[in-house]
Amino acid sequence: MTALTLKSPNTVLANAVDDAVDVLRPRIVDCDIERIGFSVGTQINGNPHLGTHLVQSLAFLLAERARDEFGVDTVVDFCALDNSPAETAGFDGRRYQRAYAHALGADEISSLVARHYRPLFDACRARTNVPYTVTTYTRQQDAPAFRAEFLRTLELLDAVGAWLSPNSGSAQIRLPCPACGWAEKHAERTRLLELDEAGGLFEAFCFEHGRYEADITPLGGGYLDLATLYRNVVKERSYRPDDRTLHVMVKGGDWAFGCQLVDGAHAVLGLPPGPLPVRIFTPQILGSDGGKLSKSLLR
């Protein structure tokens, strides 16, 4: 594999960067790190297509290059986004969704990941000698650090929502019904009732079970399903500086504009406990019309 493989107009700047991993050098010089973790997340709603596998494969190649260039251990951290909608329904003029996590359960999610993703990951590990980890959004949202950072965003919820949902100005916080797992897709009727040092109390509505409350705390209180931009803000802020890991987010090139909105939310919230992760954007696979190749386009 030659150096040309990892060059991309999304990451290579004239006369400043020769290779995609060069953008990691300032952080490596500035911080005392023991390893670099390359994070890639994928919605698991359907068979992965070429663009999905491109991002995942490049994460391993970037990790291999960074390990050889900087002499630091590297790992690819894959997050299966099992909060992707498995079922949708309409009721009383509103859209509802039920996530894979609730429709399938943990065992079926593990089987799905093993079937659709592990063969590629195992081949990439054999090719690059880079290890990988697998987790799910369900486990991610259950982590105290993630939930604590989410609760901190509620102190400036209106300002954060203006960045993360500029079309409506209201951040989408889906809190699935504890009885059936269905949630309002756009969380129109989800309201924050109380916020204190212990957590946040919400009300939400189910088309079958009516009004219910969710008391979100760092240690529990129900499933926390955040829309894509919101999830990325909280995830990036939840990394802790004491783990001596340089975190790198590997994303498709279509994410470049979305990160402007994520950074706007970060600016509203102020500096997190540790430095924000580095982002590396990979090339996009386009359809015949010039648009991004996606599962919906394939269908």
Side-chain angles (χ1 to χ4, degrees):
M1 199 66 68
T2 67
L4 290 175
T5 303
L6 295 181
K7 292 182 180 293
S8 162
N10 292 313
T11 53
V12 178
L13 305 175
N15 302 318
V17 176
D18 294 323
D19 190 282
V21 298
D22 289 345
V23 299
L24 307 181
R25 191 181 307 276
R27 190 69 66 82
I28 292 173
V29 170
D30 186 55
C31 301
D32 180 21
I33 65 169
E34 293 183 344
R35 72 170 192 164
I36 307 173
F38 291 83
S39 177
V40 58
T42 301
Q43 288 192 330
I44 58 173
N45 53 342
N47 294 332
H49 60 75
L50 180 60
T52 300
H53 280 332
L54 175 69
V55 176
Q56 296 164 348
S57 300
L58 285 177
F60 279 92
L61 291 175
L62 288 164
E64 178 189 36
R65 180 65 56 81
R67 180 196 63 208
D68 296 343
E69 176 72 17
F70 303 117
V72 179
D73 289 340
T74 58
V75 63
V76 172
D77 297 315
F78 173 70
C79 182
L81 301 176
D82 56 350
N83 63 325
S84 307
E87 304 171 86
T88 60
F91 184 82
D92 199 23
R94 291 182 172 85
R95 300 297 299 172
Y96 289 81
Q97 67 180 50
R98 193 164 179 246
Y100 273 76
H102 297 99
L104 298 185
D107 290 342
E108 285 296 321
I109 295 294
S110 295
S111 297
L112 188 154
V113 171
R115 184 166 63 253
H116 292 314
Y117 298 98
R118 283 195 182 273
L120 175 66
F121 294 162
D122 289 341
C124 287
R125 179 178 57 188
R127 163 62 180 79
T128 62
N129 200 30
V130 172
Y132 70 87
T133 68
V134 176
T135 190
T136 61
Y137 174 77
T138 294
R139 289 200 292 268
Q140 186 181 85
Q141 63 84 36
D142 195 45
F146 186 94
R147 297 172 79 88
E149 284 301 324
F150 164 72
L151 291 171
R152 291 188 183 98
T153 70
L154 299 181
E155 298 173 8
L156 295 165
L157 185 56
D158 289 341
V160 169
W163 278 102
L164 300 183
S165 297
N167 56 342
S168 65
S170 178
Q172 295 178 24
I173 303 171
R174 290 185 289 266
L175 304 169
C177 174
C180 63
W182 285 89
E184 281 188 324
K185 180 176 179 61
H186 301 294
E188 299 100 331
R189 293 184 292 175
T190 299
R191 297 288 182 269
L192 176 62
L193 301 178
E194 298 177 18
L195 178 64
D196 57 29
E197 63 277 4
L201 179 65
F202 290 85
E203 72 168 355
F205 290 84
C206 173
F207 65 88
E208 183 175 352
H209 298 98
R211 179 187 180 278
Y212 58 94
E213 292 185 352
D215 189 7
I216 303 298
T217 74
L219 300 179
Y223 196 95
L224 180 60
D225 182 7
L226 302 180
T228 302
L229 294 177
Y230 205 156
R231 180 184 70 245
N232 275 264
V233 168
V234 175
K235 177 182 178 180
E236 291 184 355
R237 299 180 73 84
S238 66
Y239 289 122
R240 290 295 180 261
D242 56 359
D243 66 359
R244 301 188 69 184
T245 298
L246 173 59
H247 297 283
V248 181
M249 314 298 289
V250 183
K251 297 179 176 294
D254 57 309
W255 251 93
F257 181 75
C259 285
Q260 297 182 50
L261 302 177
V262 169
D263 287 340
H266 283 313
V268 166
L269 293 166
L271 293 176
L276 291 170
V278 179
R279 302 182 188 121
I280 293 182
F281 300 104
T282 64
Q284 283 182 245
I285 300 297
L286 304 182
S288 58
D289 61 352
K292 172 192 172 184
L293 181 68
S294 64
K295 288 186 282 289
S296 58
L297 180 64
L298 291 173
R299 287 196 292 269

